[in-house]
Amino acid sequence: MQIKRSTTTTMPSPTSPPVQNDADYFDFRAMERVPESHEWTGPQEYEHPVVAGHELEQDVVPVVDMRDDDDDAVAAAAARAAEEWGAFLLVGHGVPGELLARVEDQAARLFALPVTDKARAARRPGGGGSGYGVPQYLLRYPKRMWAEGYTFPAAAIRSEFRRVWPDAGDDYISFCAAMDEFHVELRALGRKLLAMFFQALGLAAAGGDDDDTERKILDTLTATMHLNMYPKCPDPERAVGLAAHTDSGFFTFIMQSPVPGLQLLRRRPSERWVTVPGVAGALVVVVGDLFHVLTNGRFHSVLHRAVVNRERDRISLPYFLGPPPHMKVAPLAAAVAPGRKAEYRAVTWPEYMTMREATFGTSLSALTLIRVAPEEET
Ligand SMILES: C=C1C[C@]23C[C@H]1CC[C@H]2[C@@]12CCC[C@@](C)(C(=O)O1)[C@H]2[C@@H]3C(=O)O
Ligand SMILES: O=C(O)CCC(=O)C(=O)O
Ligand SMILES: [Fe+2]
């Protein structure tokens, strides 16, 4: 079923240039009400009811427990969740709870710094998308979101954060130590989960071309880290934490504070937003568009968003995994059913991002732009 986007929202034309503006240095804490710049009035893009992710069986977000001794069963459960939901809660993953707590605490400290300190590390044009502020893509929206963000390549934590802490003092050291450890753990976990996905897709023993591709993907997996801070909001109904989107890479681990806010769009039996419960120590796994392509649509990238609340600040740390920029991603041979053709053309991550920019404000998913037209299938 096609999602109908409201035509009455104030969407900018896809060609209007994104501008970095003062909203980056916006002091949320000083706000007693939601100002016009952040006020999302009128019908939203995906106006669907919200349900708690635990009451009805059909709304229970799948949980995959890696502690199960039966590797095949774990891999199958993860793959099933990736097919049916495009997301799941991962527990028993082995990343120490103490580390997760420390990482969240360090992220909170970063965002609590004076606006002037954070502004020093602002994203700059040509800065490769890293730094403090609003991700480029989100600047296309006519309104700002109720969130602060910081993006950085996991491979460059120490150099990136000298911008915030030029003196490289104790705060810098404890921040980098936590982020580095998180990166080491999540990179290993990412490789493990990827291997499980491949196993479930029947690739591990497939032999042939896919074996090489599988190894290449595992060996070059690239991580981008992002910190989100959604300050408590005086009028949560009028503000948006993070607008509905799919992640563009292979898959994302999201560490969310126990404060819920992440919602997944479920289409069947009826369209609704399911709130992902805040399970202490769990990581949320979200399938991205390039994994949708790699699996020829068998795993699906899920629309998700973040809402804000009046009582508590909320922190989330998505860890985005994807291919290196030059790698062409195309459906794996083993993911294409015998006698069928690949449904998507090969793209690199940066090419895909450009297409997504071009579809902004339209009802098309960028995936449709790389979809092979049915008449081309022979
Ligand atoms: C590695 C990534 C993943 C990015 C782009 C780049 C850095 C920032 C990430 C986000 C974070 C916020 C939502 C999103 C949709 C956005 O606009 O910026 C994400 C996007 C994606 O998953 O496509
Ligand atoms: O805040 C969250 O839980 C979701 C974050 C997210 O989806 C993103 O940054 O891509
Ligand atoms: Fe996301």
Side-chain angles (χ1 to χ4, degrees), residues 210-231:
D210 277 344
D211 260 6
D212 277 353
T213 313
E214 177 195 338
R215 200 169 322 110
K216 214 181 289 161
I217 291 173
L218 271 168
D219 289 348
T220 57
L221 206 55
T222 302
T224 304
M225 289 174 70
H226 184 78
L227 315 176
N228 285 309
M229 154 72 166
Y230 306 94

Side-chain angles (χ1 to χ4, degrees), residues 53 61 63 89-91 93 100 254-260 276-284:
V61 180
V63 178
L89 280 158
L90 189 66
V91 300
H93 46 62
L100 298 180
I254 305 173
M255 181 187 114
Q256 61 165 345
S257 81
V259 182
V276 180
V279 177
L283 291 166
V284 184

Side-chain angles (χ1 to χ4, degrees), residues 111 125 140 166 191 203 205 227 315 345 377:
F111 289 117
R140 290 198 162 265
R191 291 175 54 99
L203 294 185
L227 315 176
I315 282 181
R345 286 176 232 287
E377 287 178 29

Side-chain angles (χ1 to χ4, degrees), residues 13-70:
S13 89
T15 50
S16 60
V19 233
Q20 193 82 3
N21 66 20
D22 298 347
D24 284 357
Y25 318 122
F26 185 82
D27 192 357
F28 288 95
R29 274 157 222 294
M31 295 293 144
E32 282 169 13
R33 46 173 220 94
V34 173
E36 213 192 307
S37 55
H38 290 65
E39 188 180 36
W40 294 58
T41 49
Q44 300 287 308
E45 265 184 277
Y46 301 100
E47 199 90 32
H48 302 301
V50 173
V51 298
H54 53 80
E55 271 155 25
L56 294 179
E57 172 88 30
Q58 66 187 32
D59 298 333
V60 177
V61 180
V63 178
V64 175
D65 190 343
M66 290 180 99
R67 276 165 304 201
D68 198 317
D69 314 318
D70 183 349

